[in-house]
Amino acid sequence: MGDTGAEEIRQRQPGAEGFRERRSGEEEFRGRRPGAGGREPVTFALLAETGERTRFDDPPYLTRRLRRTPGRHPVMMQEAEAPDAQDRMRRHFELFGALADFHGPRLPRQLVQVLAYDDTARPHRLLIDRRGTRLADLGSPDPLHGPGLRRTVQDLFEAVAALHEPRLVHGRIGPEYLWWDPADGLQLAGLDGAVRAGEPLPDRPVTPWDPPGFRPGLPAGAEQDVHSAALVAFWIATGETVPRGASREHLHALLDQGHEDWLRALMQAAFPLGSGVFAPARELARRLAADDGGAGLFERPFAEQARRREELARQEFHTLRARRRQAGGGPAATAVRSTGAADEPPDWWRRLRVRLRPQRDPDLARGLVVECPMCLRDLAWDTADRVVLDEARGMVPERERTPAGDEARNAQLARTYVVCPGNDDVPQHEIPYRYPSFGTEPVRVGLVGASTTGKSHLLAAMIDQARKPTVMARHGLRVEALDPLHYHRYLTETVTPFIDGRQELRATVDRPDARYSTGMVVTDEHTGRSHSVIFFDVAGGRLERTGRDMDFLNRLNALLCVVDPTRVPGLTGQRAFAGRDPAFEHVRQRLRQQLADPAVPFLPVPCALVVTKCDLLRFRGYREIDGWLHEKPDAEGDLSTIERESEDVHAFLQARGGADWLQLPGECRWSTLHLASATGTTPREQPSGPRLFDETMFRQQRVLRPLLALFAMRGVMTGPAADAVLGTGERTA
């Protein structure tokens, strides 16, 4: 039975040779051995390890780490927590017994060994020889790299070959079922789900490790395991995953882009072109054993290749900044600087269809035409229907409310809305009367990212910081509500439950109309200019639509792009939603169609890209960004470091599988890149009500910097704070 299964297991019973009294911390496991020799029960003396209880959900097992005595050999004990888990445990025991009988003393160590099974009581228990760490929990294959990497990949195919020889198919090979120990190598677990060749594959979700064309219900075949093992080997060697659903032609083209010779040979043997024949697992294991590796990746620490990727990414960053300078300067060349405000709006404001007016006039001039930010309808502002909020929070026509006195009139204007009839796809809605009132172009900020990326949490954390007068005053800004009704509703329904109640926010509702989430008036104390700023935080799936209800995307003039690191394959090991974000590409295409100038290669829109949930990236050895994640909180207010942070985040994403997320900010003329966490931790289930964030870990990190960078690039913020953002970019870019 391999290294541990072949040794003789002594029965520890009173009177038997070697029996001794149980010491503190010891326990015994009594059960049947697998295979033909498992009729009589055997007893194992075990020493418990504290703090090592882990629960796995598929199937529901409670797992404990223990050590066998004498010798303190590491083992694991699984306890079934449900009837289906007991059935899976019994199947695991029976299948492993069949493998042990088939292979005899040559059963390879690369399969997780079953030592004994106890079904005499509840819960059923299984004692297994499973060591090390699950690959899915590593987050990155970096620890596997170095002189032992070739043996690790060989272990994977040895395990697959050992299953295929008695005509078993694993069917679920992936990092979730692979365990690695630096001394003992790789082991394949999850044998309870194996099926006989030709039997239907069990129903389950498709994963990044499944080959093209995989679907549940297909007859199980050895090629499925070989393909999955090859895709895992590609990840182990490169830290990247093959795009899901990629054709063989696409895969071969990918391999030709500078990958190691051994890796190309392995993948091409597993996925040959023009033939259904593939190299079996045993043949691939032999090739790996025969290949001496030379000076290739197998014999070179991964850190060396990671450094090279990072160097290339930094070169790309500086090249991009240089191209932007040649195309018309950085943000500082266009934004309103602290040297003094212009008497007239800049040319790129005057080209808009919105007719602007100075702030001092409380009543809008006749003839003003304003473009609705939600449906893009042109509205004659002085003749459009207007409503006002009454004491019962209802809307009544403004003509029925005519207060006397300038102060009362100004107070009513803050509660007044212009009614926009919408169109066939966008229902009627209201726009704050003050929306176009400040002689500057209103700023329309679009949050870009798929559902569950953390857009709503990030926006709520930003607004919570922005509403603090002392915080904004440090940067020369003053903030007030654009629309008191909706602003305070947003604070009450979103910000307060999240910040004060530590509640996880619900997924953004996919409404028929794409209303903005909240709005504010931002005044720059250095120039006296004010801007209306509104934020569009819509359901992630809506960003991929093409209908008229999404036309507001065409007029966004500032982007807040949100990257969830758990979607970047291999970055954090949490693969539930891994894969590129189609919202980025759709918004990019929309803006290119509406705003692109053939003479200028960049979009005239500032973009702040934020890698959210950065608490998940701490303590993972990411040298490019570790300094930002561990800096003191008061360092977040130093805006002069934004350009260095942008370079580091660009290098981090580009070198570690996140290049797709860099395309949109890379096509904007002005962009910054940031790390932030709106929560500092993950939410926990509650007996009732919404999930809550842990009180001791819940905090906001670096959430205001992306918003301030957008304000500087958009010209909303000037003075020393903006110079810190823009001046660094001018010098470095």
Side-chain angles (χ1 to χ4, degrees):
M1 284 184 55
D3 294 348
T4 61
E7 67 183 43
E8 186 66 27
I9 302 175
R10 293 184 299 168
Q11 299 188 30
R12 298 185 175 273
Q13 298 177 353
E17 181 182 357
F19 174 77
R20 57 180 171 78
E21 293 295 328
R22 189 183 308 173
R23 296 182 300 183
S24 175
E26 284 193 351
E27 59 181 284
E28 289 186 342
F29 185 99
R30 184 176 175 83
R32 294 180 292 129
R33 296 178 61 180
R39 295 182 178 85
E40 295 298 326
V42 291
T43 303
F44 296 82
L46 305 173
L47 181 65
E49 291 187 1
T50 59
E52 294 288 353
R53 299 173 71 91
T54 305
R55 188 180 187 279
F56 292 92
D57 294 327
D58 182 26
Y61 290 151
L62 181 66
T63 300
R64 289 192 295 150
R65 294 179 185 263
L66 306 107
R67 292 186 179 274
R68 292 177 58 184
T69 58
R72 295 177 177 256
H73 183 79
V75 294
M76 291 187 181
M77 182 194 298
Q78 290 181 340
E79 296 179 357
E81 291 195 329
D84 63 327
Q86 292 179 172
D87 295 339
R88 295 272 289 273
M89 188 175 286
R90 182 180 296 108
R91 178 173 176 78
H92 189 179
F93 175 72
E94 293 171 351
L95 281 176
F96 186 82
L99 284 169
D101 290 340
F102 180 88
H103 289 282
R106 296 187 178 183
L107 181 67
R109 61 171 177 79
Q110 291 88 352
L111 294 175
V112 168
Q113 310 281 303
V114 174
L115 302 179
Y117 174 52
D118 177 17
D119 59 353
T120 60
R122 300 291 186 272
H124 290 188
R125 301 185 305 166
L126 194 69
L127 190 66
I128 58 177
D129 181 9
R130 188 175 68 193
R131 311 180 195 181
T133 305
R134 198 171 59 149
L135 293 196
D137 298 328
L138 288 178
S140 164
D142 297 29
L144 281 65
H145 285 252
L149 179 59
R150 177 180 57 177
R151 184 61 183 271
T152 300
V153 178
Q154 182 185 342
D155 282 347
L156 172 57
F157 286 96
E158 291 282 2
V160 175
L163 279 178
H164 290 177
E165 285 163 354
R167 294 185 55 76
L168 286 177
V169 176
H170 189 282
R172 300 181 296 171
I173 292 176
E176 292 79 6
Y177 299 105
L178 291 168
W179 292 72
W180 176 77
D181 182 87
D184 297 318
L186 200 70
Q187 288 182 300
L188 178 62
L191 303 185
D192 55 292
V195 296
R196 301 286 180 184
E199 293 180 356
L201 290 169
D203 188 19
R204 62 169 176 81
V206 177
T207 74
W209 317 109
D210 292 322
F214 170 87
R215 68 177 186 275
L218 287 175
E223 70 276 5
Q224 290 144 359
D225 282 350
V226 170
H227 291 162
S228 293
L231 295 175
V232 173
F234 185 84
W235 173 74
I236 289 175
T238 67
E240 301 173 358
T241 55
V242 174
R244 188 177 300 179
S247 65
R248 297 192 180 203
E249 290 75 14
H250 185 182
L251 176 60
H252 280 245
L254 182 66
L255 292 169
D256 290 337
Q257 297 176 3
H259 288 288
E260 301 281 348
D261 291 342
W262 73 266
L263 182 59
R264 291 211 310 272
L266 175 70
M267 298 295 288
Q268 288 168 355
F271 296 94
L273 285 177
S275 172
V277 179
F278 66 96
R282 180 63 67 194
E283 173 62 23
L284 293 175
R286 288 196 190 101
R287 293 186 188 185
L288 290 166
D291 186 0
D292 62 6
L297 181 62
F298 278 143
E299 305 303 327
R300 189 168 65 235
F302 184 63
E304 179 181 339
Q305 193 176 64
R307 281 194 298 270
R308 177 57 180 161
R309 289 183 179 181
E310 182 185 340
E311 290 172 3
L312 293 174
R314 291 184 186 278
Q315 292 173 14
E316 178 187 271
F317 178 83
H318 291 296
T319 300
L320 180 62
R321 288 301 205 235
R323 289 180 58 224
R324 284 175 174 162
R325 285 199 307 271
Q326 295 171 0
T334 308
V336 179
R337 303 302 301 274
S338 58
T339 53
D343 293 331
E344 293 293 330
D347 288 341
W348 58 278
W349 282 349
R350 289 201 299 268
R351 288 196 300 267
L352 293 173
R353 287 184 289 167
V354 180
R355 279 60 165 175
L356 304 176
R357 72 173 186 84
Q359 182 180 1
R360 60 180 177 271
D361 185 0
D363 291 316
L364 296 174
R366 288 189 172 277
L368 178 65
V369 177
V370 176
E371 182 181 74
C372 172
M374 289 171 275
C375 68
L376 309 188
R377 172 188 284 269
D378 285 337
L379 299 172
W381 208 249
D382 58 324
T383 59
D385 291 339
R386 289 189 290 212
V387 293
V388 66
L389 175 68
D390 64 8
E391 292 76 3
R393 298 174 65 90
M395 297 290 187
V396 297
E398 184 198 29
R399 59 182 176 274
E400 298 178 11
R401 305 290 299 274
T402 54
D406 290 343
E407 291 186 5
R409 173 66 174 162
N410 288 336
Q412 177 171 298
L413 287 176
R415 302 189 299 272
T416 300
Y417 302 84
V418 169
V419 178
C420 177
N423 54 47
D424 293 340
D425 298 286
V426 180
Q428 176 180 294
H429 46 276
E430 302 81 32
I431 308 168
Y433 181 74
R434 297 201 303 166
Y435 171 70
S437 299
F438 302 102
T440 57
E441 179 196 15
V443 178
R444 310 177 189 185
V445 182
L447 278 80
V448 182
S451 298
T452 75
T453 54
K455 301 190 301 297
S456 298
H457 289 103
L458 178 63
L459 179 59
M462 284 179 169
I463 298 301
D464 178 62
Q465 292 292 310
R467 66 172 171 161
K468 299 176 180 178
T470 55
V471 172
M472 301 305 284
R474 297 188 198 121
H475 307 288
L477 298 177
R478 186 173 67 252
V479 174
E480 61 180 295
L482 170 66
D483 169 8
L485 167 64
H486 292 98
Y487 181 76
H488 290 293
R489 182 180 298 171
Y490 179 78
L491 294 181
T492 302
E493 297 179 358
T494 303
V495 176
T496 299
F498 171 54
I499 297 296
D500 298 336
R502 296 180 287 108
Q503 294 182 16
E504 180 186 33
L505 298 178
R506 297 177 180 176
T508 305
V509 177
D510 190 354
R511 300 177 48 162
D513 56 334
R515 292 178 179 267
Y516 65 89
S517 299
T518 189
M520 53 192 185
V521 177
V522 183
T523 301
D524 176 26
E525 295 181 347
H526 295 90
T527 63
R529 285 185 176 272
S530 298
H531 286 75
S532 298
V533 181
I534 59 176
F535 298 87
F536 286 94
D537 175 21
V538 301
R542 290 197 64 152
L543 295 175
E544 305 170 35
R545 295 183 187 172
T546 58
R548 291 178 65 191
D549 59 326
M550 298 303 294
D551 281 351
F552 75 93
L553 294 174
N554 302 344
R555 295 289 191 272
L556 294 177
N557 54 21
L559 300 178
L560 191 61
C561 295
V562 181
V563 179
D564 181 351
T566 66
R567 295 184 67 96
V568 180
L571 200 57
T572 64
Q574 301 186 16
R575 296 183 166 275
F577 303 100
R580 64 181 302 172
D581 190 337
F584 274 61
E585 177 62 18
H586 185 74
V587 172
R588 186 184 75 86
Q589 293 289 352
R590 278 262 189 173
L591 293 175
R592 288 214 68 84
Q593 292 167 5
Q594 297 295 322
L595 303 178
D597 182 347
V600 180
F602 297 103
L603 295 169
V605 178
C607 173
L609 180 141
V610 189
V611 180
T612 55
K613 307 179 186 179
C614 69
D615 52 286
L616 299 175
L617 302 174
R618 301 175 72 224
F619 310 114
R620 291 182 175 269
Y622 294 137
R623 185 180 60 83
E624 313 96 309
I625 61 171
D626 268 350
W628 303 107
L629 301 180
H630 298 282
E631 70 177 3
K632 295 180 180 179
D634 56 1
E636 297 178 13
D638 181 8
L639 302 184
S640 66
T641 61
I642 281 181
E643 183 72 2
R644 285 197 294 109
E645 181 183 9
S646 297
E647 179 180 340
D648 289 343
V649 175
H650 178 97
F652 173 67
L653 290 176
Q654 180 69 33
R656 296 185 179 272
D660 286 342
W661 284 263
L662 294 172
Q663 187 172 4
L664 177 55
E667 292 194 14
C668 295
R669 185 176 296 177
W670 317 284
S671 66
T672 55
L673 293 86
H674 308 265
L675 298 163
S677 175
T679 64
T681 184
T682 53
R684 296 182 178 179
E685 296 288 347
Q686 303 298 312
S688 60
R691 298 198 298 178
L692 299 181
F693 296 96
D694 182 77
E695 183 176 7
T696 59
M697 301 289 291
F698 181 67
R699 59 176 178 154
Q700 286 70 52
Q701 298 173 268
R702 313 175 59 79
V703 296
L704 190 59
R705 283 167 66 95
L707 184 61
L708 293 174
L710 268 186
F711 284 169
M713 291 185 286
R714 186 73 271 173
V716 174
M717 179 174 73
T718 66
D723 292 346
V725 177
L726 306 174
T728 306
E730 275 192 320
R731 289 193 299 271
T732 312

